[in-house]
Amino acid sequence: MPQPLPRTLRAAASALAVSLIALTLGGCGFVPDGSTPAPAAASEADLGDDDGYIPDGESVSPNADDLPTIANLDLDLRTALQRAAADAAADGVEMFVTDGWRSERYQQLLLDNAIRNYLSEEEARKWVKTPEESTHVKGLAVDIGPTDADSWLSQHGNDYGLCQTYGNEMWHFELAVRPGETCPAPLSDASAG
Ligand SMILES: [Zn+2]
């Protein structure tokens, strides 16, 4: 009668299986701790929720905490935004986020596209910052829509510490003052800051 496999041998066999799986994954460039940066995005088709990607013309609820574009925002900004959105809703104004946190490669793609569209890096930088400079990449900025929500937030945002940062972007808000303080005058455009 064949003996069952000794316990130690079975443990060794399963340990071998685990290391074989790890070896296979390692060969595919899979890094479980995410220390390898995602490859550059050639187009928006390469981007997904993990980049904070929101397609043009779409928006998400400020309360969509399951989406990285909201979840990766600075906690103070996210809390202020969600309070503001609740109060705006009580005033009959629905507030949406058209851009929140973005990955570095998403920001780089936006900059590349802007340089192509404006035919000049200088002009593009008035609208889109580099991944190193962007407050969206740092989780410190949100773009709000639609227009009536922008107007509501320009009027009441400072109650929550939220201020319009750039004169040419009525949709872009950052936590810039303590709640109730007056917002500083917006900079002319993103290249001025
Ligand atoms: Zn913005």
Side-chain angles (χ1 to χ4, degrees):
M1 197 161 120
Q3 291 295 308
L5 212 54
R7 189 177 289 266
T8 48
L9 209 61
R10 268 187 289 162
S14 59
L16 184 68
V18 166
S19 44
L20 277 176
I21 290 167
L23 206 66
T24 313
L25 291 173
C28 299
F30 176 83
V31 180
D33 68 1
S35 60
T36 301
S43 77
E44 295 196 3
D46 293 337
L47 300 172
D49 284 350
D50 287 348
D51 294 293
Y53 178 61
I54 302 175
D56 252 359
E58 291 186 22
S59 57
V60 302
S61 160
N63 297 309
D65 288 344
D66 53 328
L67 290 175
T69 194
I70 299 295
N72 291 348
L73 290 175
D74 168 77
L75 184 59
D76 289 340
L77 171 60
R78 182 153 54 108
T79 307
L81 173 70
Q82 291 174 347
R83 283 195 189 126
D87 291 348
D91 280 353
V93 175
E94 262 208 291
M95 191 179 286
F96 292 97
V97 173
T98 56
D99 267 305
W101 169 84
R102 296 179 193 134
S103 68
E104 287 187 20
R105 66 175 194 157
Y106 182 8
Q107 186 71 26
Q108 186 61 52
L109 182 70
L110 289 175
L111 183 58
D112 293 345
N113 290 346
I115 292 170
R116 205 173 304 133
N117 290 339
Y118 290 106
L119 303 172
S120 128
E121 184 160 355
E122 191 190 352
E123 191 59 28
R125 292 268 198 110
K126 290 180 184 170
W127 301 91
V128 186
K129 289 200 164 207
T130 63
E132 295 74 33
E133 295 170 328
S134 169
T135 43
H136 281 282
V137 173
K138 295 183 173 87
L140 297 174
V142 282
D143 294 343
I144 299 299
T147 312
D148 62 337
D150 294 328
S151 304
W152 190 95
L153 206 53
S154 325
Q155 228 179 313
H156 303 285
N158 72 310
D159 290 348
Y160 313 87
L162 294 165
C163 301
Q164 182 192 336
T165 318
Y166 306 118
N168 68 337
E169 297 185 20
M170 68 173 298
W171 52 85
H172 178 106
F173 289 85
E174 297 182 16
L175 208 54
V177 295
R178 270 192 285 261
E181 287 181 357
T182 307
C183 285
L187 299 169
S188 57
D189 61 59
S191 67

